Amino acid sequence: MSGVTLKNAIKRYGETQVIHGIDLTIDHGEFCVFVGPSGCGKSTLLRMIAGLEETTDGVIEIGSRDVTRADPAERGIAMVFQTYALYPHMTVAENMGFGLKMNGVAKAEITERVGEASRILKLDDYLERKPKALSGGQRQRVAIGRAIVRGPEVFLFDEPLSNLDAELRVDMRVEIARLHKEIGATMIYVTHDQVEAMTLADKIVVLRAGVIEQVGSPLGLYNDPDNKFVAGFIGSPSMNFMEAVVEGAGVRIPALDDMIVATDVALPAAGQPVTIGVRPQNITLSAGDGTTTLGLREHLGGVAYDYLDTKTGERVIVESRGESEVKSGAPVKVSFAAEDAMFFDAKTEARLR
Amino acid sequence: MSGVTLKNAIKRYGETQVIHGIDLTIDHGEFCVFVGPSGCGKSTLLRMIAGLEETTDGVIEIGSRDVTRADPAERGIAMVFQTYALYPHMTVAENMGFGLKMNGVAKAEITERVGEASRILKLDDYLERKPKALSGGQRQRVAIGRAIVRGPEVFLFDEPLSNLDAELRVDMRVEIARLHKEIGATMIYVTHDQVEAMTLADKIVVLRAGVIEQVGSPLGLYNDPDNKFVAGFIGSPSMNFMEAVVEGAGVRIPALDDMIVATDVALPAAGQPVTIGVRPQNITLSAGDGTTTLGLREHLGGVAYDYLDTKTGERVIVESRGESEVKSGAPVKVSFAAEDAMFFDAKTEARLR
Amino acid sequence: MAVTDTGTQSKQSWLKRNKLTVTPWVFLAPALCFFAIYVVIPIFESLWLSLYEWNGLYDADGNSTAVWVGFDNYVKLWGDPKFWTSLVNNVIWLVMFMLAVPAGLFIALFLNQSVPGMRLYKSLFFFPFVISQVVVGLIFGWFYNPDFGVVGSLWKAVYCEETVNIVGNLTFRCSAPVPDILSSETWATYGIILAGLWPQIAYCMILYLTGLNNVASDQIEAARLDGAKGWKMLWYVVLPQLRPATFIAVVVTVIGALRSFDMVAIMTGGGPGEGSTNVLAYYMYETAISEYGERYGYGSAIATVLFAIMLVYISYFLHRMYQDEKGGH
Amino acid sequence: GDLVINFDDLNPGPKQGFEDAVELFKSENPDINVIVNINDREAHKTAIRNFLTADAPDVTSWYPGNRMAPFVDAGLFQPVDDVWEENGFNEDLAAIKPTMSRDGKIWGVPYSYYQWGVYYRKDIFDKLELAEPTTWDELIAACGTMKEAGVTPFTIGTKFLWTAAGVFDYINLRTNGYDVHNDLTAGKIKYTDERIVQTFKNWEQMIGECGFVDNHASMSWQDAIAPFSNGDAAMYVMGNFAVDGFINAGLTEEQIDFFQFPEITPGMARAEEAPADAFFIPANAKNVEDAKKFLAFVARADVQSQWNKTIGQLPVNAKSEISDNKFIQEGFATVSTAAGLAQFYDRDAPAAMAKAGMEGFQKFMIDPSTMMEVLERLDEVQAEVYE
Amino acid sequence: MFPRPIEKSSPARRVGYQAFLPVALLIWLLPLLAIFLTSIRSAVDINSGNVFGWPSQFRMLENYTAVFTQSDAAKYMLNSVLITVPSVAISVTLACLAGYALAIYRFRVALPLFFLFVAGNFIPFQILMVPVRDMSVQSGLYNTIAGQFLFHAAFQTGFCTLFMRNFIKALPFELIESARVEGVKEWRIFVFVVLPLVRPAIAALAVLIFTFVWNDFFWANVLTQGEAVKPITAGVRALNGQFVNNWHLVSAASLMAAVPPVMMFFLMQKHFIAGLTLGAVK
Ligand SMILES: Nc1ncnc2c1ncn2[C@@H]1O[C@H](COP(=O)(O)OP(=O)(O)OP(=O)(O)O)[C@@H](O)[C@H]1O
Ligand SMILES: Nc1ncnc2c1ncn2[C@@H]1O[C@H](COP(=O)(O)OP(=O)(O)OP(=O)(O)O)[C@@H](O)[C@H]1O
Ligand SMILES: [Mg+2]
Ligand SMILES: [Mg+2]
């Protein structure tokens, strides 16, 4: 069993605290993704698990061993870096076998295990090449191969795909998903790419400023975010947020010509401000006569994004399929099902349920 | 009038020919986007128009002047580079006014024209800053400002947004669209980003290996591609292609359990191979009992991508909305409307119509 | 008229058309002139002069008194033991000087830490390189001096006792004679090289310190995960990344070794004995223009040999550079 | 007009003597603007080769004998027979005339020479009750006494080589005489000639039974004064210019004295080292007229008297007065009674030979067992240099 | 990056390291320190063999003043300045021009010409000695300040060009293209775009060349005679002859000769090191 457990993990650089007491349990075999805006501490947290950054306080356990102060090499982990960090002067085979060689594994066994990994990753033809002679995707595969070869209990990935171009990224994403299925090891994966997070994760950890905002399955987070931050962060294009005012059993939305949306969530007192959120997919447009007009329309073939100009200046994006008769610049009517709307406290940004 | 016309434009580097006789007319005021895979010659073509690369053969006209051998400065063009190419030792205002100053324009006029451009680009607050003190988006705007100031007839952009992060890219895209509307000058824009091409262009030029594959409006290309390359290149996720065999008035698709698709396009003789293409959005799935199974399913919240494993090993991607009951690994039935399918010659890859 | 018109037009447009061809030459001209006059042409003159016998004198009318002797100078060189001594010494220099590379690396590794005041330490360590070789030579010459120098003083402290001599002045009686490094045919060369190593190590150290700055941290981290430590880390991961620094360190060290002149001139003047610390650079100088020299042709022949040796390194360096240039574009 | 003079000695005494003379010359010739370049001696030796063609002064100091030969041969000096003629130098400077001549012409005017010999610490000799040795055996015996008393007999600094040549010259002159010296430096005798070998054997004996200070190869001649002045060494084979150095090092004239290098081969006619310093007129001199005036001036009896008094050397002009300094007196006695005057090894032998020879001497002094190796090597050089 | 940051190891090691640093430095600079101590000793100390111990008297001011009053050291220093400054100015100027041409323009002989400069930078300068000296003599430049700085300027141009060319080459080429599109003339691109951007390189080169030329000894010997135009390096050697047995004065003079490059290094350290490594490694 080799899950990873963090108990009140804290990281300080001198005075500045970067990670604020993270408690987290990742089960054996789970694929856990850390997401969050740039600088929120994803990499730091991952590197603390790897042992590349010292943990200022708290405990990190891998399996049942406390590894908080252990050497990186002793933690039974392998890491794939964003930059791949391949040794440029070694061939692919040497790169993959380096860790074993350093640990005194016999030559024959190294060859065998490298062969195994290269088979899994379809790298057989490149074993004698230097990294320079490989494409980005191949390098990435070598980096993963190097991790696999050592047979670690936990794989750590730090934005492994962000240096690849869009197409390759999709392929490698699928590859990593397959790999996880095949090996079944615990994987912790840092990304800022939503799609990767949504498609790969068993469990997503949303971080903000060194604090966990929410932990859950991808669809769990998408469908049932705990707060405005998570709601806005998960889903693409991101959720539209508008200011609203509580009125009776619903809210009034000034941006949409004081449209009233009824809801049965626990709203604050009448007259209080709340934030309402609706996903672009859940909005439909029709010709209208209010103050909301259709700004720019972006056609992407199968789907189009309409940018609405509202009277309050809040921008609303609507995803639509198929052709629409509404012309750019014309007034539109916005409608959505009340159950598709989410409500958030205007101050704390917590979800109102 | 300042359209751009290329007549049999050719570029050779020593022995290797990079641009193979391009004929192209870009109308005055048009927004023309060059797309194509990396290395296809987009930048080279743009730089030929700019005069930064010598044109080996053929004629380039701007307006009605033959500028094939003219100096870049004499062509009435302005160029925005991917790297912005701002002069780091000059302030924003100096950067924008540099070209004018060097060409002996009076100080007062420089100030006025820089002021005008900075107003359009909302750069007024930054005029005295050095580029180092600007964000990526602001730098990009300065680069555009520098182009505007000279009042060129033609603007050339070489992947101007590719150094920005995703969010900013969207904003700047909208900005450039607005600018084009406002200035109305001819613009030629190189990108490898589909979305940019689809949303900005009046006319898209699809290049492959130094040759034009197709020229047309964004939706024109999406809906009516001339060949398999364009069909696959435009649209995201890209079109699914499967081998098929002509049978009677339709084709049989081995990958989909010999499903027959009827069509009235001009097919080759019965038994001949063709390629059939269907966009992921146009396919629907239901539980089935054939050999096609649902492989990986990627949930992105609003939309999900299903990766189908077919018996021939061809991979088919299906975009679906809402929940689907089909489980990963289960056999599925694939269906799509016959009119959504496109047919391509198996050899020439030309569209069959 | 039409003919002249097109004539002037094509004339104007020639300059214009070839603007990018002509401009670089305008920019290059001054440097090229200087360089040609003082460097390129003299090289060939030297080669040519090595085929003459000349005592460097012009007669009162300014005509050279040189006499053509063909390859005689080279034949003489072959049989000249001082030439061979110099050559062997140059080889010793080359080999010993190479110590500067690992020594520089070692110090660089030692100093590659960030503690308060490190910048100052680093620059103080670099100090010897900035000092003129003449000064370094004087310093070490004095350092080695058996009577007044540090070596002498230390030796006296250990092996000698202070006594009073016959006229009542203080003197030292030593159980073993003070080593006189610079007067020993065996040790003088090594003494000079040691002095030369001092600034050279500092140079290599700086090169390595900069190289270490650019070592990819991700590779180091990957290697740490791979369990590489200490020497293994250095050997397998760090050194390969320091290859450019090593290359340059070797190049400058080779050049330094072959150019060694100042130190020899200052510390021993080629002596003791029959040029036992001579090196080609100094022997050439000595032969051509020192007090007992006046053999310009012969000196040029020595310089030519030195040049030929250096040419091997220059070619290698240029080859490397050419590869880089090709790769870069 | 301008009269440019290049002079070759920065040491305080000689510099003073020269400058005084120049002052006197100036006051006698107020219309001549004298410009003086004084250089370190070693530097001057290098520089002269260029300035004679390129940037010739009107007068330069240089040395007679073989040292002036290349310049004379290249036509870079002007003959000054007329100066000698007009001023009666042919008589007054007769002793030196042969070394100033080449190809039948006279090329310069000497202003000074000085004796060589053995300077010693009189106080030490007195303490050890030693008398000035006059024969080789006496010298060796005296050395024994000194060594017993913990005194190193000889000091020397061979870093710049020529000091060793002085010792060699003396042993050779005393062993084989003036003619052999001349034949050797003229390339007529091989170094492996048994007579020269005998010289070296005597030298070896001197090194072994007398002995020189340690570390002499890393000392200049000035450095070597230190043990002498400190009383660690008792004798110094040197030229008279060294007396200045002794005094500067804190010794008094009473503490030092001079004796002629002892006899080795009994009955051998006594020749001495007595190098002369002279002035020459470059062929390219611009102001020849004033240059000749200056040459005539420096050889004048009164000028030489005064000048040599200042620098503690011997005037060449026979009519000059000699200072009453005891070294000068003794030196004059030594030189004027000598059977022959040698210039010096490195002035009598061609440059390339001199260089190789002196290197050999130094090597030999460091390790006498290399004697034959050194001599054979010198034969090779000789064969090449005099070809 | 390697070895492991000391702040991550145990406090004992850290303290040990910090304590050892000054010791190591002391050993490393021992020769320099010794000569400095000598330079502030009195003659009495030197003669009594007190070379290593604590000076019995501190004679710093006296000794250093003596160097200047008893010798031509001041003149030598001035000569060094007069030789070094124009050398630096000329070679850097030439190299900027040449480097620009070689970096920006694509023409067939650009690379061979560049290699010529590089090769010239590495040759043993003994091969130039006789012809250059001879040429200087013939042209009246022998034994002049100009003769020395012209040669140094020319010789250093090789290195400077290597350096500037690589530096300019590393500038984004788009800057030049952009200016060309804007119709800026070539020489104005050089003046207004390139020169301001290579200022750091110029500074780096200037300090480096300053040190090289200042410390030159060989050419001072080859191209001068006498004291009139001799630079301090050669001067120090002459002083060595003059101050026989006055090691305290020789030491003081030697240190004086070293002061300007050392000052230069300290003031412009960043540039200096950048110059060394960039120029060399690139
Ligand atoms: N060595 C350090 N010293 C001080 N602060 C640091 C250090 N390293 C990182 N930080 C800070 O820690 C915070 C978290 O950094 P981290 O690299 O973990 O962010 P991230 O979530 O990985 O961001 P990104 O998505 O950009 O990679 C940042 O605010 C960063 O400024
Ligand atoms: N100077 C050159 N010499 C030889 N070939 C060149 C040169 N410059 C470009 N090429 C070649 O010309 C082709 C087109 O290059 P270009 O830069 O125009 O491609 P691109 O479409 O802009 O690609 P990208 O999307 O990567 O920018 C490439 O195959 C490239 O290798
Ligand atoms: Mg990160
Ligand atoms: Mg491009």
Side-chain angles (χ1 to χ4, degrees), chain C residues 55 58-60 81-82 146 165-167 169-171 180 183 185 272-274 286 289 291-292 294-295, chain D residues 42 45-46 49 53 67 74 76 127-128 215 217-218 230-232 284 346 355 358-359 362-363 377 384:
Chain C
N55 65 5
Y58 291 86
D59 61 21
K82 284 185 79 174
N165 70 10
I166 188 161
V167 293
N169 286 336
L170 278 183
T171 189
D180 186 0
S183 307
E185 294 202 23
E274 290 163 339
E286 187 183 271
I289 63 176
E291 178 179 1
Y292 302 104
E294 73 202 42
R295 297 160 77 191
Chain D
E42 307 302 322
K45 288 173 183 169
T46 318
R49 308 179 52 74
T53 358
R67 280 304 183 85
L76 293 169
K127 263 208 181 91
L128 298 174
N215 316 324
S218 56
N230 197 46
D232 294 334
N284 285 340
D346 78 341
K355 169 80 172 162
M358 296 189 306
E359 282 177 0
Q362 189 201 37
K363 183 177 168 128
R377 165 74 190 135
E384 202 182 288

Side-chain angles (χ1 to χ4, degrees), chain A residues 42-43 82 158-159 190:
Chain A
K42 306 181 292 292
S43 299
Q82 175 173 3
D158 192 355
E159 312 204 15
V190 166

Side-chain angles (χ1 to χ4, degrees), chain C residues 111-193:
Chain C
L111 291 179
N112 191 37
Q113 295 287 3
S114 53
V115 298
M118 204 60 214
R119 271 174 60 91
L120 185 66
Y121 277 115
K122 285 179 185 172
S123 42
L124 285 174
F125 264 89
F126 186 53
F127 233 76
F129 179 73
V130 194
I131 300 170
S132 163
Q133 297 224 3
V134 173
V135 176
V136 173
L138 282 175
I139 294 177
F140 272 80
W142 167 78
F143 200 83
Y144 292 143
N145 189 296
D147 295 312
F148 325 99
V150 174
V151 168
S153 305
L154 284 178
W155 188 272
K156 280 175 187 160
V158 178
Y159 290 101
C160 307
E161 51 182 306
E162 217 168 79
T163 61
V164 172
N165 70 10
I166 188 161
V167 293
N169 286 336
L170 278 183
T171 189
F172 294 91
R173 196 118 312 158
C174 302
S175 54
V178 186
D180 186 0
I181 295 165
L182 293 183
S183 307
S184 152
E185 294 202 23
T186 326
W187 296 111
T189 290
Y190 296 97
I192 302 173
I193 294 174

